Amino acid sequence: MTNNVSRRGLLQAGGAGLLAAGFTTFTLPAKAAGKKPYRIALSNSYIGNKWRIEMENLFKAGLLMEPYKSDVKGSWFNSGNDVSKQSQQMSNLIAERVDAIIINAASPTGLNGIIRQATSRGILVVSFDNVVTAPTALKVNTNQYKFGQMGAEWVAEKIGGKGNVIMVTGVAGTFVDADRNKGAEDVWKKHPGITVVNKFTGMWDSATAERNAAAVLPSLPQIDGIWCQGGTDGVLKAFLAAKRPLPPTAGEGENGFRKFMTGYMGQKVQGISIGQPPFLVLISLELARSVLDGSRPKGDVEIPFPFVTTDTVKVGETVFPDLPDSFFADFTDSGDNATVKICVEAALNGTACAGRLNVVLPKA
Amino acid sequence: MSLAESAGAGQPVPAIEGVGISRAFGGVRAVQDASFAALAGEVHALVGENGAGKSTLIKILGGRIRPDAGQVRVRGAAVLLNSPHDAHRLGAWTVFQELTLLPAMTVAENLLLGREPRGRLGLIDRRAMERDGEAMLAGLGIHHIDPLALVQDLPLAERQIVEIVRAITQDPSILFLDEPTSSLMEREVAWLFGQIRRLRAAGTAIVFTSHRWNEIVSIADRITVCRGGTNVGTFTEIGEDEAVTLMTGRRVGSQYPPRPPAPAGETALAVRNLSGEGVHDVSLELRKGEILGIGGLAGHGHRELFFMLFGAQQPTGGEIRLDGKPVRIASPRAAVRTGSGIALVPEDRKTEGLLLAMSVRDNMSLTILSRIASVGVIRQATEQRLCRGIMEMLKVRAAGLASPVGALSGGNQQKVLLGRWLLADCRTLLLYDVTRGVDAATKHEIYELMTRLAGEGRSIMFYSSDAEELAHQAHRVLVLREGRIAAELDGTGLTAEDIVAAAMRDRAA
Amino acid sequence: MAAPQAIATRRPRLAHAMLQSAPLLLSLAMLAASIVVYCAIYLASQHRLPGGFELTSTVNNTMPLAMAAVGQSFVVLTRGIDLSVGGIIDLTNAVAAVAIHDSPASMVGWSLAILAIGALLGLVNGLLVAVGRLQPILVTLATLSIFQGIAIRVLPQPGGAIPDAYGAVLANVDAPISLIYVALLVLGWRVFRRTRLGVSIFAIGNDEPAAAANGIDVRRTKIAAYVLSGTFSAAAGLFLAAAATAGDATTGNSYTLTSIVAIVLGGVSLFGGRGSAVGGIAGAFVTSMIVNILFFSHIDPLYQNFYEGLFLVLAVTAAAGIGHYFRRRA
């Protein structure tokens, strides 16, 4: 740990160039660290859903835009949900001696061993979305507990503090799932009039959520509110198929859900759409860049959830009628205090937008 | 008269005895109230048609399957055999008809399975195993089988010998040999009989089945005849005709039907300079209505030749003409569809062509489904009628068209496969050792059938390991040696000795 | 009395050994080739050869898969399949993260206990397959879910901490000491092949009825194969925990499939009775090498799965083709 502390001091002094020389426990040949462009790699695990694809597109687009275009030499890798493969790729990144690794991990703990090896060699590790527990890695995330809490509070208020709600949960065994559920459950406790009549997993996937909702709906009484972690549009479609009215719904940032909020399939739903923003990757990129150039101390970053409600959702900005339901409409932040503003092409194709990319990190 | 009746006071205690044994497989009674006993120091032949229950009885006495009813006694004491292992402990070893060697293991490993020599730490000593395996083979006068070879690479006859060696080197007090000679050539049979005599002299009870009558009379001390799953009599002296009558319940005339006159018709199949794996420069012609015999020692390219003509193996050179037109037979599917249709009935029915778990009907109609279907749906009445007709013509003994082929006896499985090709209207039939392990009555039916099919103008190419059969059935016989045609013999007046002599001419020198 | 003299050509012992272990030799050749390609690509992109770090991290990363592949080999050799490998790794990994504390007694005691848990889970599979006479694929698919479910119960969220000393023994980051375990596995396999159980496993994979007719206890042998598979999967769970320094009840899932891939690359026949666990270990290392090769060749990550699949198909086809060629020549 003393090594880490001293390194931190060096970094803060803007002396990242001394880093490799000052750290000698491991015997990799000295490298020219700290010189621009920084070599920053994205190590992503699963790539099989729209969110991850958008996330990776935003990363690619970011690399094509200033200041990253001149400051950063980027690369990206996918490993699927195979921890040993991601670990193997990370050791290759260590061998390549990149300056920083940004990871969306296949396991919060499974990479801790290799992360420790990376950071002990002076490589900056920034984890986001599915963050890791390794103490030496920086974390960039939203507060998942607040996701659960915000949605549940909104539903509770909409239904006047009493009635039947269902909870559609995510992938069991992950922090995100557990934290979101806890956030919601703490709200339900404060409203004795609210009964959770069913809790089932949607696996953060619209098709799965729709299938599971369709399976349980026939056995359920009238439902006054939906709290959903992901696959929200699927749940609403299952309600339509069962010819049930659409109750107030707290859900994720799926374009399909937001279409329902503006009127879709003959229905308009009262809802709040809270997104785990794909632009977390850009926040991570900016964090890595600013730590490497010494303009920011090492430290975790938490950003507020971007959200829209039926009252604030805007066609062409936070909902896109021409794009598929599964598109994540929260690829960019909105409003005056936005952390990231980026165009839809970046999310769709990974192409650069006009102008500079301005990522505003919260105060360190 | 059964032994159970004759075993009065003063009779020696049988080495092994089954009393009132019954066993059914899925409703088919394979053995019913059968009793059988073998004495120490005798060779006891068990004869009967396929499906008479001989193999099942042996499996029960050998501990391989359990009887539904009845008692097994070893040296007078009732025993419960739950596994072959139990039988082995009592000194009873079996050479099963379907060989029980492990294909991907070496000859030595197979010979010493369960009695491997141990070295340090009780681990198997592989060198010693090879040495012991070699010694076992050599001790029995076998020098041509490599103990390090994988069993799957050996020809059938050699596998059979390994299986026999494994059993007789266990010093069995009781030895069952179920059809041990079906894939052996004459000299190998002589070797086996030498071993049997040696064991008999040492006091082993030997139970033996065969479909070759001359073998039975040359070695057996007593003969028990089975029919329909039970024993119908035990004899020390019985003539072949009488035995066949007992086996079938009727009198069978001459074993071989009269041969139809040799056809002078047009050529159905012509092969020019065919070469490939195991086959070298073979040329032959098969006329319409002709039965062409192919003879020779096992492992000399017969199988490969038949497989090439059926498209199951690709030649590297040469030409095949069907009805005068050159054809390329890329696969068995192509063979059946080519011109007049070439079909193969192989000897190993279990792995080459039949779907054992499916019904007789499904197996027969497999290749004609498109013909008997309208808009893709099989017309069941048509299917039923066609299959029923074939089944009756071939005298397939099965509970019905719906019974699974796996439940039929070997000879009847053979007929189902033949029936499939007849339904597909194949005009050229390649019969590869189809009578191996088939009982006399069924053999006779197959001979009659061949004669009849040839009379209808179909062409038959026919390999048999039994030279006697070729001499009587074929219009002409080609003898293969080392993949080449060594001799062409005219059928008229041909004897088995001529064929064997042609096959061995070089080796005798 | 002499049996007839058929073709009496004898092949020398070495030729037999080469021919009969052709699939294993092929997989070792594949491993050697992939290491050469890796080194070449590494040299081209990094202008130096891979060194101690690369070796150590590759070995540490591959050890769990190598263990799982060895376990899977036992079952596949009996002509079964064990899909619950991933579930057993999940569960044992979870137990390791929760239970192992920083004292030698805890580390040794719990390691043994976890191996015993793996054996017990394998026993469940074995009993269902051998005594219940159920299809291995169905049994282990069901137990996979069950074991995964229990694993989540044991460790609802990723966490726990594996003592550094434990990691230093199983997944040392400074030196490739895990190669010792590889050597032990190879040695152990050679010994196993010379035991009664080893022979029996091959025998029932070859031909189950024939093996039974030869007095081999099919039931007991199958149960033993699943118990061994469970034990080695548990070992994989321990290595995984040691390398990660913490536990996660879901990280084992991918090993079900990758262990099968590894043994296929290693020349173990899915039809049973043919192959070697050593091949499975080689196959595990080949899969790691593929990841490395694709990494340093800097292909578009989106096509990575495509290339991995392509390589698998090519490797298996080539192995089958070469094997066939040699068998024909022999």
Side-chain angles (χ1 to χ4, degrees):
Chain A
M1 286 315 281
T2 50
N3 275 329
N4 274 334
V5 171
S6 68
R7 210 162 76 243
R8 189 177 200 140
L10 287 172
L11 282 164
Q12 279 169 335
L18 301 170
L19 186 145
F23 193 79
T24 52
T25 312
F26 292 90
T27 53
L28 284 180
K31 61 167 183 171
K35 274 207 190 123
K36 286 181 184 177
Y38 305 118
R39 294 165 67 201
I40 300 179
L42 168 64
S43 169
N44 176 45
S45 50
Y46 183 58
I47 189 67
N49 65 30
K50 289 271 179 177
W51 193 95
R52 295 285 176 119
I53 292 170
E54 273 178 50
M55 178 275 287
E56 219 164 84
N57 282 341
L58 289 177
F59 182 74
K60 292 181 209 169
L63 292 175
L64 297 173
M65 293 166 73
E66 292 296 355
Y68 308 100
K69 195 176 171 188
S70 18
D71 282 5
V72 176
K73 190 168 174 292
S75 57
W76 56 94
F77 301 91
N78 301 312
S79 65
N81 277 334
D82 184 336
V83 176
S84 66
K85 200 156 139 191
Q86 191 168 19
S87 180
Q88 187 67 37
Q89 284 181 347
M90 285 186 60
S91 52
N92 287 333
L93 289 171
I94 296 172
E96 265 195 339
R97 289 172 231 151
V98 296
D99 298 298
I101 305 173
I102 298 173
I103 55 176
N104 192 347
S107 159
T109 56
L111 300 170
N112 286 4
I114 195 73
I115 289 170
R116 188 153 68 178
Q117 293 191 57
T119 52
S120 66
R121 282 172 171 75
I123 295 170
L124 180 67
V125 175
V126 179
S127 83
F128 72 99
D129 186 34
N130 197 16
V131 294
V132 297
T133 60
T136 53
L138 304 187
K139 287 120 200 138
V140 170
N141 215 352
T142 43
N143 185 330
Q144 301 296 345
Y145 178 86
K146 281 187 189 154
F147 175 103
Q149 192 184 33
M150 259 167 85
E153 274 170 354
W154 185 88
V155 170
E157 194 201 308
K158 276 282 168 201
I159 63 175
K162 62 176 196 296
N164 296 332
V165 299
I166 56 168
M167 288 175 71
V168 183
T169 61
V171 176
T174 60
F175 284 125
V176 174
D177 178 58
D179 286 352
R180 287 181 174 186
N181 289 341
K182 185 149 194 317
E185 272 152 5
D186 287 350
V187 172
W188 307 139
K189 273 185 213 141
K190 284 188 275 180
H191 296 277
I194 291 178
T195 319
V196 178
V197 293
N198 205 297
K199 185 174 163 184
F200 58 88
T201 180
M203 299 298 286
W204 296 330
D205 173 70
S206 293
T208 311
E210 183 172 354
R211 197 167 57 239
N212 291 356
V216 299
L217 272 181
S219 65
L220 298 181
Q222 184 198 317
I223 289 158
D224 306 307
I226 300 170
W227 177 92
C228 178
Q229 278 198 21
T232 325
D233 52 325
V235 176
L236 293 177
K237 283 172 192 161
F239 268 70
L240 284 184
K243 301 204 165 38
R244 287 187 180 235
L246 300 182
T249 303
E252 249 279 0
E254 303 95 351
N255 197 34
F257 174 38
R258 291 187 177 179
K259 285 185 196 169
F260 274 109
M261 286 162 56
T262 54
Y264 186 38
M265 296 184 175
Q267 302 283 331
K268 185 168 173 174
V269 71
Q270 285 294 317
I272 181 168
S273 166
I274 314 166
Q276 170 79 344
F279 60 73
L280 282 172
V281 72
L282 293 175
I283 308 275
S284 307
L285 178 63
E286 170 58 19
L287 179 64
R289 187 187 72 98
S290 52
V291 168
L292 286 175
D293 75 8
S295 62
R296 187 182 170 92
K298 279 188 172 183
D300 296 348
V301 168
E302 185 184 312
I303 62 157
F305 271 108
F307 69 92
V308 293
T309 63
T310 306
D311 302 330
T312 62
V313 66
K314 258 194 216 141
V315 172
E317 200 170 298
T318 47
V319 61
F320 304 86
D322 299 335
L323 291 179
D325 291 356
S326 53
F327 182 71
F328 280 87
D330 52 359
F331 62 89
T332 179
D333 204 353
S334 54
D336 296 336
N337 301 321
T339 45
V340 175
K341 274 191 178 171
I342 194 163
C343 61
V344 67
E345 290 75 25
L348 282 178
N349 309 319
T351 47
C353 310
R356 254 178 104 82
L357 177 59
N358 194 24
V359 178
V360 184
L361 295 183
K363 291 256 177 319
Chain B
M1 158 175 99
S2 80
L3 193 90
E5 291 162 45
S6 66
Q11 294 278 348
V13 177
I16 190 158
E17 190 178 8
V19 183
I21 305 278
S22 296
R23 171 73 205 222
F25 295 103
V28 179
R29 293 198 192 99
V31 173
Q32 183 145 37
D33 197 22
S35 294
F36 170 79
L39 304 172
E42 78 162 341
V43 176
H44 196 141
L46 209 46
V47 301
E49 297 186 76
N50 283 339
K54 306 182 301 284
S55 291
T56 307
L57 191 56
I58 285 178
K59 281 181 185 159
I60 288 169
L61 297 176
R64 180 100 179 255
I65 55 182
R66 273 182 256 181
D68 298 333
Q71 196 178 57
V72 178
R73 293 183 201 145
V74 172
R75 292 177 281 277
V79 292
L80 210 61
L81 302 177
N82 284 319
S83 70
H85 200 52
D86 291 345
H88 295 170
R89 273 193 291 241
L90 295 165
W93 293 80
T94 310
V95 173
F96 292 105
Q97 184 180 3
E98 66 282 16
L99 302 182
T100 59
L101 298 176
L102 302 165
M105 297 172 84
T106 66
V107 169
E109 282 173 321
N110 269 284
L111 285 175
L112 286 138
L113 195 63
R115 47 173 170 159
E116 298 89 352
R118 304 281 166 157
R120 276 172 301 149
L121 305 170
L123 294 176
I124 294 164
D125 183 340
R126 299 188 72 86
R127 291 281 170 136
M129 189 153 77
E130 288 157 18
R131 211 174 47 230
D132 293 1
E134 178 133 39
M136 270 181 192
L137 292 166
L140 294 172
I142 294 159
H143 302 283
H144 64 290
I145 298 178
D146 186 345
L148 293 177
L150 293 185
V151 164
Q152 65 193 12
D153 297 335
L154 300 184
L156 195 54
E158 290 184 11
R159 282 189 228 179
Q160 179 79 62
I161 289 172
V162 173
E163 181 104 15
I164 292 167
V165 168
R166 184 170 59 184
I168 62 185
T169 52
Q170 306 279 356
D171 294 323
S173 59
I174 302 156
L175 176 64
F176 296 100
L177 298 160
D178 194 3
E179 289 282 338
T181 60
S182 59
S183 52
L184 300 187
M185 299 303 293
E186 217 167 308
R187 289 180 64 173
E188 296 161 330
V189 172
W191 165 82
L192 171 63
F193 283 7
Q195 297 301 328
I196 290 178
R197 289 194 186 94
R198 184 177 61 77
L199 289 167
R200 171 169 63 189
T204 304
I206 296 150
V207 180
F208 165 81
T209 73
S210 171
H211 288 299
R212 298 179 186 166
W213 186 256
N214 57 353
E215 287 176 6
I216 292 164
V217 292
S218 76
I219 192 92
D221 300 309
R222 287 196 298 164
I223 297 168
T224 290
V225 179
C226 295
R227 185 175 76 226
T230 194
N231 54 313
V232 292
T234 299
F235 309 88
T236 48
E237 200 76 41
I238 183 172
E240 180 172 9
D241 287 351
E242 195 187 343
V244 170
T245 310
L246 266 177
M247 283 190 258
T248 59
R250 64 181 182 274
R251 181 161 284 278
V252 178
S254 162
Q255 203 184 353
Y256 298 100
R259 191 170 13 208
E266 48 198 307
T267 303
L269 174 73
V271 174
R272 286 277 160 270
N273 310 105
L274 194 69
S275 289
E277 193 186 328
V279 174
H280 306 291
D281 199 22
V282 166
S283 299
L284 59 86
E285 272 188 18
L286 176 62
R287 286 190 285 276
K288 289 192 173 147
E290 185 181 32
I291 302 176
L292 176 64
I294 305 288
L297 299 170
H300 281 254
H302 309 93
R303 196 181 167 78
E304 290 80 2
L305 174 63
F306 275 66
F307 273 44
M308 276 177 204
L309 293 178
F310 188 51
Q313 191 177 316
Q314 292 307 312
T316 52
E319 186 190 47
I320 300 171
R321 280 170 179 268
L322 258 186
D323 303 319
K325 288 185 283 288
V327 289
R328 201 183 141 261
I329 304 167
S331 68
R333 186 182 156 89
V336 173
R337 290 170 171 225
T338 305
S340 53
I342 303 182
L344 173 72
V345 181
E347 97 277 33
D348 193 350
R349 310 168 288 271
K350 295 225 158 105
T351 54
E352 288 161 13
L354 285 176
L355 307 164
L356 295 182
M358 294 178 73
S359 70
V360 172
R361 182 182 45 230
D362 291 343
N363 270 286
M364 280 188 178
S365 61
L366 198 63
T367 53
I368 56 158
L369 289 180
S370 57
R371 216 176 69 206
I372 59 168
S374 47
V375 215
V377 181
I378 297 157
R379 292 190 303 255
Q380 293 205 342
T382 312
E383 185 187 27
Q384 192 80 9
R385 180 172 50 76
L386 287 171
C387 293
R388 170 81 48 204
I390 289 283
M391 187 163 155
E392 276 162 14
M393 173 185 149
L394 301 180
K395 297 185 184 131
V396 177
R397 271 183 287 277
L401 277 174
S403 45
V405 164
L408 305 188
S409 70
N412 283 305
Q413 290 182 359
Q414 201 78 280
K415 290 181 186 171
V416 170
L417 191 53
L418 185 56
R420 175 195 291 172
W421 302 131
L422 293 180
L423 268 181
D425 201 31
C426 290
R427 311 286 303 171
T428 306
L429 301 169
L430 310 175
L431 308 183
Y432 187 87
D433 218 2
V434 284
T435 54
R436 184 170 93 86
V438 169
D439 61 85
T442 309
K443 263 186 192 168
H444 185 77
E445 285 169 10
I446 291 176
Y447 299 147
E448 281 185 334
L449 194 65
M450 282 168 63
T451 308
R452 182 170 148 194
L453 293 171
E456 287 172 6
R458 290 185 215 252
S459 315
I460 296 173
M461 199 167 125
F462 167 52
Y463 165 75
S464 174
S465 49
D466 183 352
E468 190 78 32
E469 206 170 86
L470 289 173
H472 282 94
Q473 275 302 110
H475 292 117
R476 260 189 315 145
V477 175
L478 300 176
V479 177
L480 284 189
R481 193 170 61 228
E482 286 168 2
R484 298 171 195 280
I485 293 182
E488 177 171 347
L489 308 167
D490 188 66
T492 333
L494 191 63
T495 65
E497 287 71 25
D498 297 337
I499 297 173
V500 174
M504 315 247 300
R505 196 158 295 147
D506 281 3
R507 318 212 145 259
Chain C
M1 170 140 327
Q5 298 293 307
I7 308 97
T9 45
R10 283 280 168 93
R11 232 179 259 134
R13 171 193 305 277
L14 185 67
H16 272 298
M18 297 277 286
L19 196 67
Q20 288 165 15
S21 46
L24 173 63
L25 295 176
L26 272 172
S27 70
L28 293 175
M30 204 189 303
L31 177 59
S34 64
I35 290 173
V36 169
V37 172
Y38 161 67
C39 289
I41 291 185
Y42 190 99
L43 186 65
S45 72
Q46 303 300 308
H47 311 294
R48 63 188 169 97
L49 278 171
F53 168 77
E54 286 78 4
L55 176 64
T56 306
S57 66
T58 300
V59 172
N60 285 343
N61 266 325
T62 313
M63 272 320 285
L65 180 56
M67 285 287 173
V70 170
Q72 186 71 263
S73 302
F74 290 112
V75 171
V76 170
L77 282 171
T78 68
R79 204 173 182 165
I81 196 151
D82 190 350
L83 300 183
S84 74
V85 162
I88 296 176
I89 296 177
D90 281 340
L91 182 47
T92 51
N93 183 272
V95 173
V98 171
I100 296 181
H101 295 295
D102 202 354
S103 77
S106 166
M107 288 191 241
V108 174
W110 272 107
S111 296
L112 294 176
I114 286 165
L115 293 177
I117 290 171
L120 195 71
L121 300 177
L123 180 67
V124 173
N125 285 331
L127 287 174
L128 287 169
V129 169
V131 182
R133 293 177 179 277
L134 299 168
Q135 290 281 344
I137 193 163
L138 292 179
V139 167
T140 55
L141 193 60
T143 54
L144 168 67
S145 301
I146 293 170
F147 299 159
Q148 284 172 334
I150 302 173
I152 291 270
R153 286 273 162 144
V154 172
L155 188 67
Q157 286 182 26
I162 301 294
D164 287 351
Y166 197 76
V169 174
L170 291 193
N172 193 303
V173 296
D174 296 325
I177 63 162
S178 286
L179 283 175
I180 295 170
Y181 302 113
V182 175
L184 286 176
L185 284 177
V186 173
L187 201 70
W189 174 255
R190 291 190 63 90
V191 170
F192 175 77
R193 284 288 277 126
R194 291 169 57 191
T195 60
R196 174 89 221 221
L197 179 61
V199 173
S200 300
I201 281 181
F202 274 81
I204 67 171
N206 252 272
D207 184 344
E208 197 175 307
N214 284 305
I216 283 168
D217 191 332
V218 171
R219 216 188 267 188
R220 220 161 47 195
T221 306
K222 277 193 185 174
I223 292 173
Y226 284 91
V227 167
L228 281 169
S229 174
T231 311
F232 276 90
S233 298
L238 291 178
F239 273 94
L240 194 58
T245 70
D248 181 336
T250 61
T251 48
N253 296 348
S254 56
Y255 287 92
T256 291
L257 205 59
T258 49
S259 66
I260 296 171
V261 169
I263 60 157
V264 169
L265 282 177
V268 179
S269 165
L270 288 178
F271 299 107
R274 292 159 176 84
S276 157
V278 176
I281 298 170
F285 278 93
V286 170
T287 57
S288 287
M289 280 301 143
I290 298 171
V291 171
N292 290 347
I293 290 169
L294 291 177
F295 181 94
F296 286 106
S297 42
H298 290 286
I299 54 144
D300 185 336
L302 286 178
Y303 293 108
Q304 188 178 318
N305 284 338
F306 169 80
Y307 283 110
E308 275 179 33
L310 188 70
F311 177 83
L312 267 183
V313 170
L314 288 179
V316 173
T317 312
I322 295 170
H324 188 68
Y325 175 77
F326 278 110
R327 289 210 73 77
R328 281 172 62 120
R329 291 270 312 243

